[in-house]
Amino acid sequence: MAQEEGGSLSRVRARVGASHGITDLTQKLHFYDRWAPDYDQDVAALQYRAPSLAVDCLTQALPGPPEAALILDVACGTGLVAAELQARGFLRLHGVDGSSGMLEHARARSLYQHLSLCTLGQEPLPSPEGTYDAVLMVGALSDGQVPCSAIPELLRVTKPGGLVCLTTRTNPSNLQYKEALEATLDKLEQAREWERLEARPVDRWELATSKLEAVPGTPDGAGFISGIVYLYRKRQAAPAEGGRPRAQPRTGL
């Protein structure tokens, strides 16, 4: 039995390692379409913690009753983040993803009120400005997935005073992307578009796909890669002339 489990984990590591190596978006989306039926069990085998870590971070900062918050899950995949949100009482959930195969599995779980096919970075999110109390993007910030240039689009659909929660890996193969991501995040903060509430490093993000990716000092065969959770609050609209706040668009939601 132990040999069988070890062989299964080896296959999962090979598959996830292959996904990390795909930098062409079209190829990456096709990969995810094929991966969708096995995705949940594969990431569970890797002890993937990003969905629960991100939702924990968000819920500690989001005011008001959870059932009242309208939340967008960007790059929602099969619904792992939505499952974490629903377990904490969040019920008004929308999701978008660029993989039709992933969306098919997310739809079957009946966790979202609304799901849309959207390839962020190539097209805008299908929502008006200032729609959501919180926006999350978990696991999609890396080469070949969502480009850093798409981050302002997340901010656009967030309500003034709303929260944006993001995650990325900090293992060696993703450090160049992380550097570019943080430059984008900092630029938006310097422009007073949002304020950083937290940047939470995590050592045990998921099991490494190779020894080279593992956090130094972890045992061979059980090493974890590291990651980070970012949490931002969108700034309130600046007062218009005469001291009155600018009107925000009505969403009807």
PDB file of all heavy atoms in Angstrom, residues 54-86:
ATOM      1  N   ALA A  54      -5.824  31.601   2.119  1.00  0.00           N
ATOM      2  CA  ALA A  54      -6.360  32.849   1.581  1.00  0.00           C
ATOM      3  C   ALA A  54      -7.694  33.199   2.223  1.00  0.00           C
ATOM      4  O   ALA A  54      -7.942  34.356   2.597  1.00  0.00           O
ATOM      5  CB  ALA A  54      -6.509  32.741   0.065  1.00  0.00           C
ATOM      6  N   VAL A  55      -8.568  32.217   2.361  1.00  0.00           N
ATOM      7  CA  VAL A  55      -9.885  32.482   2.945  1.00  0.00           C
ATOM      8  C   VAL A  55      -9.752  32.848   4.421  1.00  0.00           C
ATOM      9  O   VAL A  55     -10.457  33.740   4.912  1.00  0.00           O
ATOM     10  CB  VAL A  55     -10.821  31.278   2.731  1.00  0.00           C
ATOM     11  CG1 VAL A  55     -12.129  31.451   3.503  1.00  0.00           C
ATOM     12  CG2 VAL A  55     -11.112  31.104   1.242  1.00  0.00           C
ATOM     13  N   ASP A  56      -8.847  32.216   5.142  1.00  0.00           N
ATOM     14  CA  ASP A  56      -8.596  32.604   6.533  1.00  0.00           C
ATOM     15  C   ASP A  56      -8.177  34.068   6.623  1.00  0.00           C
ATOM     16  O   ASP A  56      -8.652  34.819   7.470  1.00  0.00           O
ATOM     17  CB  ASP A  56      -7.503  31.723   7.154  1.00  0.00           C
ATOM     18  CG  ASP A  56      -7.992  30.338   7.517  1.00  0.00           C
ATOM     19  OD1 ASP A  56      -9.228  30.136   7.557  1.00  0.00           O
ATOM     20  OD2 ASP A  56      -7.144  29.456   7.761  1.00  0.00           O
ATOM     21  N   CYS A  57      -7.262  34.468   5.756  1.00  0.00           N
ATOM     22  CA  CYS A  57      -6.758  35.840   5.744  1.00  0.00           C
ATOM     23  C   CYS A  57      -7.891  36.825   5.434  1.00  0.00           C
ATOM     24  O   CYS A  57      -8.027  37.868   6.093  1.00  0.00           O
ATOM     25  CB  CYS A  57      -5.640  35.959   4.720  1.00  0.00           C
ATOM     26  SG  CYS A  57      -4.770  37.531   4.711  1.00  0.00           S
ATOM     27  N   LEU A  58      -8.705  36.498   4.451  1.00  0.00           N
ATOM     28  CA  LEU A  58      -9.799  37.374   4.053  1.00  0.00           C
ATOM     29  C   LEU A  58     -10.838  37.521   5.163  1.00  0.00           C
ATOM     30  O   LEU A  58     -11.264  38.630   5.492  1.00  0.00           O
ATOM     31  CB  LEU A  58     -10.467  36.825   2.796  1.00  0.00           C
ATOM     32  CG  LEU A  58     -11.674  37.618   2.288  1.00  0.00           C
ATOM     33  CD1 LEU A  58     -11.234  38.943   1.691  1.00  0.00           C
ATOM     34  CD2 LEU A  58     -12.457  36.802   1.264  1.00  0.00           C
ATOM     35  N   THR A  59     -11.252  36.408   5.740  1.00  0.00           N
ATOM     36  CA  THR A  59     -12.350  36.448   6.704  1.00  0.00           C
ATOM     37  C   THR A  59     -11.972  37.209   7.975  1.00  0.00           C
ATOM     38  O   THR A  59     -12.850  37.766   8.641  1.00  0.00           O
ATOM     39  CB  THR A  59     -12.814  35.030   7.071  1.00  0.00           C
ATOM     40  OG1 THR A  59     -11.694  34.258   7.518  1.00  0.00           O
ATOM     41  CG2 THR A  59     -13.424  34.332   5.869  1.00  0.00           C
ATOM     42  N   GLN A  60     -10.695  37.249   8.305  1.00  0.00           N
ATOM     43  CA  GLN A  60     -10.267  38.001   9.477  1.00  0.00           C
ATOM     44  C   GLN A  60     -10.399  39.506   9.283  1.00  0.00           C
ATOM     45  O   GLN A  60     -10.464  40.261  10.256  1.00  0.00           O
ATOM     46  CB  GLN A  60      -8.821  37.640   9.824  1.00  0.00           C
ATOM     47  CG  GLN A  60      -8.653  36.228  10.373  1.00  0.00           C
ATOM     48  CD  GLN A  60      -7.203  35.795  10.437  1.00  0.00           C
ATOM     49  OE1 GLN A  60      -6.293  36.609  10.331  1.00  0.00           O
ATOM     50  NE2 GLN A  60      -6.988  34.494  10.596  1.00  0.00           N
ATOM     51  N   ALA A  61     -10.451  39.957   8.032  1.00  0.00           N
ATOM     52  CA  ALA A  61     -10.480  41.398   7.743  1.00  0.00           C
ATOM     53  C   ALA A  61     -11.807  41.886   7.188  1.00  0.00           C
ATOM     54  O   ALA A  61     -12.052  43.089   7.168  1.00  0.00           O
ATOM     55  CB  ALA A  61      -9.359  41.748   6.765  1.00  0.00           C
ATOM     56  N   LEU A  62     -12.656  40.970   6.715  1.00  0.00           N
ATOM     57  CA  LEU A  62     -13.892  41.387   6.049  1.00  0.00           C
ATOM     58  C   LEU A  62     -14.960  41.716   7.091  1.00  0.00           C
ATOM     59  O   LEU A  62     -15.335  40.853   7.887  1.00  0.00           O
ATOM     60  CB  LEU A  62     -14.379  40.284   5.118  1.00  0.00           C
ATOM     61  CG  LEU A  62     -15.466  40.648   4.104  1.00  0.00           C
ATOM     62  CD1 LEU A  62     -14.948  41.702   3.129  1.00  0.00           C
ATOM     63  CD2 LEU A  62     -15.917  39.419   3.337  1.00  0.00           C
ATOM     64  N   PRO A  63     -15.458  42.955   7.112  1.00  0.00           N
ATOM     65  CA  PRO A  63     -16.468  43.322   8.108  1.00  0.00           C
ATOM     66  C   PRO A  63     -17.855  42.810   7.720  1.00  0.00           C
ATOM     67  O   PRO A  63     -18.113  42.472   6.565  1.00  0.00           O
ATOM     68  CB  PRO A  63     -16.427  44.853   8.087  1.00  0.00           C
ATOM     69  CG  PRO A  63     -16.026  45.178   6.677  1.00  0.00           C
ATOM     70  CD  PRO A  63     -15.087  44.082   6.243  1.00  0.00           C
ATOM     71  N   GLY A  64     -18.728  42.788   8.688  1.00  0.00           N
ATOM     72  CA  GLY A  64     -20.114  42.436   8.421  1.00  0.00           C
ATOM     73  C   GLY A  64     -20.350  40.944   8.374  1.00  0.00           C
ATOM     74  O   GLY A  64     -19.410  40.143   8.343  1.00  0.00           O
ATOM     75  N   PRO A  65     -21.636  40.544   8.340  1.00  0.00           N
ATOM     76  CA  PRO A  65     -21.969  39.111   8.302  1.00  0.00           C
ATOM     77  C   PRO A  65     -21.538  38.485   6.981  1.00  0.00           C
ATOM     78  O   PRO A  65     -21.712  39.094   5.923  1.00  0.00           O
ATOM     79  CB  PRO A  65     -23.490  39.104   8.459  1.00  0.00           C
ATOM     80  CG  PRO A  65     -23.939  40.451   8.000  1.00  0.00           C
ATOM     81  CD  PRO A  65     -22.836  41.401   8.351  1.00  0.00           C
ATOM     82  N   PRO A  66     -20.972  37.292   7.003  1.00  0.00           N
ATOM     83  CA  PRO A  66     -20.476  36.679   5.762  1.00  0.00           C
ATOM     84  C   PRO A  66     -21.551  36.451   4.713  1.00  0.00           C
ATOM     85  O   PRO A  66     -21.291  36.573   3.519  1.00  0.00           O
ATOM     86  CB  PRO A  66     -19.873  35.349   6.238  1.00  0.00           C
ATOM     87  CG  PRO A  66     -20.474  35.094   7.575  1.00  0.00           C
ATOM     88  CD  PRO A  66     -20.736  36.434   8.184  1.00  0.00           C
ATOM     89  N   GLU A  67     -22.768  36.155   5.150  1.00  0.00           N
ATOM     90  CA  GLU A  67     -23.818  35.860   4.171  1.00  0.00           C
ATOM     91  C   GLU A  67     -24.224  37.086   3.362  1.00  0.00           C
ATOM     92  O   GLU A  67     -24.880  36.959   2.319  1.00  0.00           O
ATOM     93  CB  GLU A  67     -25.041  35.255   4.869  1.00  0.00           C
ATOM     94  CG  GLU A  67     -25.741  36.167   5.865  1.00  0.00           C
ATOM     95  CD  GLU A  67     -25.156  36.098   7.267  1.00  0.00           C
ATOM     96  OE1 GLU A  67     -24.063  35.512   7.427  1.00  0.00           O
ATOM     97  OE2 GLU A  67     -25.804  36.621   8.192  1.00  0.00           O
ATOM     98  N   ALA A  68     -23.835  38.292   3.816  1.00  0.00           N
ATOM     99  CA  ALA A  68     -24.187  39.512   3.087  1.00  0.00           C
ATOM    100  C   ALA A  68     -23.152  39.895   2.043  1.00  0.00           C
ATOM    101  O   ALA A  68     -23.434  40.701   1.154  1.00  0.00           O
ATOM    102  CB  ALA A  68     -24.370  40.661   4.077  1.00  0.00           C
ATOM    103  N   ALA A  69     -21.947  39.351   2.123  1.00  0.00           N
ATOM    104  CA  ALA A  69     -20.851  39.763   1.243  1.00  0.00           C
ATOM    105  C   ALA A  69     -20.967  39.104  -0.130  1.00  0.00           C
ATOM    106  O   ALA A  69     -21.196  37.894  -0.236  1.00  0.00           O
ATOM    107  CB  ALA A  69     -19.519  39.409   1.884  1.00  0.00           C
ATOM    108  N   LEU A  70     -20.786  39.914  -1.166  1.00  0.00           N
ATOM    109  CA  LEU A  70     -20.733  39.394  -2.532  1.00  0.00           C
ATOM    110  C   LEU A  70     -19.260  39.245  -2.915  1.00  0.00           C
ATOM    111  O   LEU A  70     -18.507  40.224  -2.896  1.00  0.00           O
ATOM    112  CB  LEU A  70     -21.440  40.345  -3.501  1.00  0.00           C
ATOM    113  CG  LEU A  70     -21.493  39.892  -4.965  1.00  0.00           C
ATOM    114  CD1 LEU A  70     -22.267  38.592  -5.119  1.00  0.00           C
ATOM    115  CD2 LEU A  70     -22.106  40.994  -5.840  1.00  0.00           C
ATOM    116  N   ILE A  71     -18.861  38.026  -3.259  1.00  0.00           N
ATOM    117  CA  ILE A  71     -17.442  37.711  -3.453  1.00  0.00           C
ATOM    118  C   ILE A  71     -17.217  37.136  -4.842  1.00  0.00           C
ATOM    119  O   ILE A  71     -17.978  36.288  -5.315  1.00  0.00           O
ATOM    120  CB  ILE A  71     -16.967  36.720  -2.371  1.00  0.00           C
ATOM    121  CG1 ILE A  71     -17.093  37.361  -0.989  1.00  0.00           C
ATOM    122  CG2 ILE A  71     -15.522  36.276  -2.623  1.00  0.00           C
ATOM    123  CD1 ILE A  71     -16.633  36.503   0.153  1.00  0.00           C
ATOM    124  N   LEU A  72     -16.133  37.588  -5.472  1.00  0.00           N
ATOM    125  CA  LEU A  72     -15.716  37.056  -6.773  1.00  0.00           C
ATOM    126  C   LEU A  72     -14.465  36.212  -6.593  1.00  0.00           C
ATOM    127  O   LEU A  72     -13.470  36.667  -6.028  1.00  0.00           O
ATOM    128  CB  LEU A  72     -15.423  38.197  -7.753  1.00  0.00           C
ATOM    129  CG  LEU A  72     -14.914  37.756  -9.135  1.00  0.00           C
ATOM    130  CD1 LEU A  72     -15.977  36.954  -9.883  1.00  0.00           C
ATOM    131  CD2 LEU A  72     -14.468  38.962  -9.958  1.00  0.00           C
ATOM    132  N   ASP A  73     -14.514  34.991  -7.086  1.00  0.00           N
ATOM    133  CA  ASP A  73     -13.389  34.058  -7.075  1.00  0.00           C
ATOM    134  C   ASP A  73     -12.836  33.991  -8.499  1.00  0.00           C
ATOM    135  O   ASP A  73     -13.451  33.402  -9.385  1.00  0.00           O
ATOM    136  CB  ASP A  73     -13.888  32.688  -6.595  1.00  0.00           C
ATOM    137  CG  ASP A  73     -12.807  31.626  -6.528  1.00  0.00           C
ATOM    138  OD1 ASP A  73     -11.617  31.969  -6.695  1.00  0.00           O
ATOM    139  OD2 ASP A  73     -13.161  30.454  -6.292  1.00  0.00           O
ATOM    140  N   VAL A  74     -11.698  34.649  -8.716  1.00  0.00           N
ATOM    141  CA  VAL A  74     -11.087  34.724 -10.046  1.00  0.00           C
ATOM    142  C   VAL A  74     -10.129  33.556 -10.219  1.00  0.00           C
ATOM    143  O   VAL A  74      -9.360  33.229  -9.317  1.00  0.00           O
ATOM    144  CB  VAL A  74     -10.338  36.057 -10.225  1.00  0.00           C
ATOM    145  CG1 VAL A  74      -9.698  36.134 -11.609  1.00  0.00           C
ATOM    146  CG2 VAL A  74     -11.293  37.232 -10.023  1.00  0.00           C
ATOM    147  N   ALA A  75     -10.163  32.922 -11.409  1.00  0.00           N
ATOM    148  CA  ALA A  75      -9.425  31.681 -11.645  1.00  0.00           C
ATOM    149  C   ALA A  75      -9.893  30.637 -10.637  1.00  0.00           C
ATOM    150  O   ALA A  75      -9.108  30.015  -9.929  1.00  0.00           O
ATOM    151  CB  ALA A  75      -7.917  31.898 -11.572  1.00  0.00           C
ATOM    152  N   CYS A  76     -11.217  30.444 -10.605  1.00  0.00           N
ATOM    153  CA  CYS A  76     -11.859  29.645  -9.548  1.00  0.00           C
ATOM    154  C   CYS A  76     -11.607  28.156  -9.680  1.00  0.00           C
ATOM    155  O   CYS A  76     -11.823  27.410  -8.708  1.00  0.00           O
ATOM    156  CB  CYS A  76     -13.353  29.928  -9.522  1.00  0.00           C
ATOM    157  SG  CYS A  76     -14.252  29.416 -11.015  1.00  0.00           S
ATOM    158  N   GLY A  77     -11.178  27.684 -10.854  1.00  0.00           N
ATOM    159  CA  GLY A  77     -10.909  26.257 -11.000  1.00  0.00           C
ATOM    160  C   GLY A  77     -12.143  25.416 -10.715  1.00  0.00           C
ATOM    161  O   GLY A  77     -13.247  25.719 -11.170  1.00  0.00           O
ATOM    162  N   THR A  78     -11.963  24.373  -9.934  1.00  0.00           N
ATOM    163  CA  THR A  78     -13.068  23.458  -9.616  1.00  0.00           C
ATOM    164  C   THR A  78     -13.880  23.897  -8.409  1.00  0.00           C
ATOM    165  O   THR A  78     -14.851  23.239  -8.046  1.00  0.00           O
ATOM    166  CB  THR A  78     -12.516  22.046  -9.344  1.00  0.00           C
ATOM    167  OG1 THR A  78     -11.602  22.121  -8.232  1.00  0.00           O
ATOM    168  CG2 THR A  78     -11.810  21.478 -10.561  1.00  0.00           C
ATOM    169  N   GLY A  79     -13.478  24.983  -7.759  1.00  0.00           N
ATOM    170  CA  GLY A  79     -14.264  25.492  -6.636  1.00  0.00           C
ATOM    171  C   GLY A  79     -13.657  25.264  -5.273  1.00  0.00           C
ATOM    172  O   GLY A  79     -14.371  25.314  -4.265  1.00  0.00           O
ATOM    173  N   LEU A  80     -12.352  25.060  -5.181  1.00  0.00           N
ATOM    174  CA  LEU A  80     -11.728  24.822  -3.877  1.00  0.00           C
ATOM    175  C   LEU A  80     -11.860  26.024  -2.953  1.00  0.00           C
ATOM    176  O   LEU A  80     -12.114  25.868  -1.746  1.00  0.00           O
ATOM    177  CB  LEU A  80     -10.244  24.465  -4.057  1.00  0.00           C
ATOM    178  CG  LEU A  80      -9.932  23.163  -4.785  1.00  0.00           C
ATOM    179  CD1 LEU A  80      -8.422  22.976  -4.925  1.00  0.00           C
ATOM    180  CD2 LEU A  80     -10.539  21.968  -4.050  1.00  0.00           C
ATOM    181  N   VAL A  81     -11.697  27.227  -3.498  1.00  0.00           N
ATOM    182  CA  VAL A  81     -11.845  28.432  -2.679  1.00  0.00           C
ATOM    183  C   VAL A  81     -13.300  28.605  -2.251  1.00  0.00           C
ATOM    184  O   VAL A  81     -13.585  28.945  -1.092  1.00  0.00           O
ATOM    185  CB  VAL A  81     -11.343  29.671  -3.449  1.00  0.00           C
ATOM    186  CG1 VAL A  81     -11.720  30.971  -2.721  1.00  0.00           C
ATOM    187  CG2 VAL A  81      -9.830  29.599  -3.625  1.00  0.00           C
ATOM    188  N   ALA A  82     -14.228  28.357  -3.159  1.00  0.00           N
ATOM    189  CA  ALA A  82     -15.651  28.487  -2.821  1.00  0.00           C
ATOM    190  C   ALA A  82     -16.053  27.527  -1.709  1.00  0.00           C
ATOM    191  O   ALA A  82     -16.868  27.875  -0.839  1.00  0.00           O
ATOM    192  CB  ALA A  82     -16.509  28.242  -4.062  1.00  0.00           C
ATOM    193  N   ALA A  83     -15.513  26.320  -1.708  1.00  0.00           N
ATOM    194  CA  ALA A  83     -15.818  25.366  -0.644  1.00  0.00           C
ATOM    195  C   ALA A  83     -15.354  25.906   0.706  1.00  0.00           C
ATOM    196  O   ALA A  83     -16.054  25.775   1.724  1.00  0.00           O
ATOM    197  CB  ALA A  83     -15.159  24.025  -0.942  1.00  0.00           C
ATOM    198  N   GLU A  84     -14.168  26.533   0.731  1.00  0.00           N
ATOM    199  CA  GLU A  84     -13.668  27.131   1.967  1.00  0.00           C
ATOM    200  C   GLU A  84     -14.545  28.312   2.395  1.00  0.00           C
ATOM    201  O   GLU A  84     -14.839  28.486   3.584  1.00  0.00           O
ATOM    202  CB  GLU A  84     -12.220  27.596   1.778  1.00  0.00           C
ATOM    203  CG  GLU A  84     -11.217  26.487   1.515  1.00  0.00           C
ATOM    204  CD  GLU A  84     -10.887  25.670   2.760  1.00  0.00           C
ATOM    205  OE1 GLU A  84     -11.214  26.122   3.888  1.00  0.00           O
ATOM    206  OE2 GLU A  84     -10.307  24.583   2.601  1.00  0.00           O
ATOM    207  N   LEU A  85     -14.956  29.121   1.439  1.00  0.00           N
ATOM    208  CA  LEU A  85     -15.807  30.263   1.749  1.00  0.00           C
ATOM    209  C   LEU A  85     -17.164  29.818   2.283  1.00  0.00           C
ATOM    210  O   LEU A  85     -17.662  30.354   3.280  1.00  0.00           O
ATOM    211  CB  LEU A  85     -15.999  31.129   0.499  1.00  0.00           C
ATOM    212  CG  LEU A  85     -14.798  31.976   0.066  1.00  0.00           C
ATOM    213  CD1 LEU A  85     -14.992  32.476  -1.359  1.00  0.00           C
ATOM    214  CD2 LEU A  85     -14.585  33.147   1.018  1.00  0.00           C
ATOM    215  N   GLN A  86     -17.766  28.857   1.619  1.00  0.00           N
ATOM    216  CA  GLN A  86     -19.080  28.394   2.041  1.00  0.00           C
ATOM    217  C   GLN A  86     -19.031  27.779   3.440  1.00  0.00           C
ATOM    218  O   GLN A  86     -19.958  27.953   4.239  1.00  0.00           O
ATOM    219  CB  GLN A  86     -19.645  27.394   1.040  1.00  0.00           C
ATOM    220  CG  GLN A  86     -21.141  27.150   1.211  1.00  0.00           C
ATOM    221  CD  GLN A  86     -21.724  26.296   0.104  1.00  0.00           C
ATOM    222  OE1 GLN A  86     -21.740  25.076   0.202  1.00  0.00           O
ATOM    223  NE2 GLN A  86     -22.201  26.939  -0.943  1.00  0.00           N
TER     224      GLN A  86
END
